[in-house]
Amino acid sequence: MTDQIMFVTGNLHKVAEAAAICAPRGIVIVQNDCGYPELQDDDVARVAEYGAEHVVSRLGCAVIVEDTGLYIDALNGFPGPYAAYVYDTIGNAGILALMRDIDGGDNRRATFRSVIGYCEPGVAATTFEGIATGTIAHEERGEGGFGYDPIFEIDGVAFSLMGDDAKNNVSHRAKSFEKFAEWFIRRGMA
Ligand code: ITT
């Protein structure tokens, strides 16, 4: 059986990663780029919930949105839920500059947190979370991926150098979409 779900995002990389997880499970991801206001909140789950509920009230059909935060231990969790703003302002070079004096290993630990908000008309949003823990590299690596991929490494390999399949074996987004897909399929069968 094939089912489909509308994913409201302006980020085509997210759509490709989500589709690679969902398609083998019989769920077709349909992108919608209509946008939504991003709540300023410390918790990406609340940002995803609010975004999903806002979009449903506008479109009147079931949707998902996904919000990602990046939490760098040595910077007390910065940029956290403000990852998009920080990427657009200081970018990867700015993060590396802030961390210039921090040595390797655990001192450079960072966590990506992806939260999907699913919502349908008349029902409160449900959320699904995935996390990936790694380290911030000392320099940008590779050309692949998007966003912070060139500076985020797991076991010494940057997301930008992994290729799509390998990133989808370990990433925060793969985990949140696996949880969502499992729930969505079970729910369809109920
Ligand atoms: P939306 O339209 O879905 O909001 P976005 O790119 O603005 O797309 P987010 O706000 O969730 O998405 O992303 C926060 C920032 O983190 C943004 O700069 C992304 O490029 C970056 N980011 C998100 N997921 C990432 C990943 O898997 N690898 C590297 N950077 C990522």
Side-chain angles (χ1 to χ4, degrees):
M1 195 183 82
T2 302
D3 223 328
Q4 69 175 43
I5 183 73
M6 186 181 291
F7 182 13
V8 176
T9 175
N11 186 327
L12 289 173
H13 297 279
K14 285 187 177 182
V15 178
E17 291 181 8
I21 297 294
C22 290
R25 294 166 167 87
I27 302 170
V28 175
I29 297 282
V30 179
Q31 186 208 7
N32 183 314
D33 191 10
C34 69
Y36 59 92
E38 285 204 13
L39 190 68
Q40 298 298 293
D41 194 290
D42 287 350
D43 186 352
V44 285
R46 277 198 292 273
V47 179
E49 253 169 26
Y50 176 86
E53 288 175 0
H54 176 91
V55 173
V56 166
S57 68
R58 236 170 58 206
L59 301 183
C61 62
V63 299
I64 53 174
V65 305
E66 188 258 7
D67 198 51
T68 298
L70 175 65
Y71 304 82
I72 300 174
D73 288 9
L75 303 179
N76 295 331
F78 177 85
Y82 308 108
Y85 180 72
V86 169
Y87 184 78
D88 291 342
T89 50
I90 64 171
N92 287 332
I95 295 282
L96 293 178
L98 288 173
M99 297 183 66
R100 199 174 26 225
D101 297 330
I102 298 166
D103 359 319
D106 273 359
N107 296 334
R108 296 180 72 90
R109 190 161 52 201
T111 302
F112 266 123
R113 182 173 178 224
S114 155
V115 179
I116 297 168
Y118 168 87
C119 194
E120 54 192 67
V123 184
T126 306
T127 57
F128 305 87
E129 178 185 280
I131 63 169
T133 298
T135 51
I136 300 297
H138 286 276
E139 59 196 11
E140 295 190 50
R141 300 185 205 279
E143 303 284 316
F146 69 100
Y148 297 102
D149 281 352
I151 62 166
F152 185 86
E153 299 180 332
I154 293 185
D155 295 332
V157 183
F159 271 172
S160 59
L161 292 170
M162 283 186 184
D164 298 345
D165 289 349
K167 181 179 174 187
N168 254 355
N169 279 331
V170 291
S171 86
H172 47 301
R173 182 162 303 102
K175 290 173 191 155
S176 61
F177 271 94
E178 279 162 10
K179 283 187 195 166
F180 165 73
E182 201 179 296
W183 174 85
F184 192 64
I185 290 164
R186 257 194 280 118
R187 187 176 152 280
M189 291 187 305

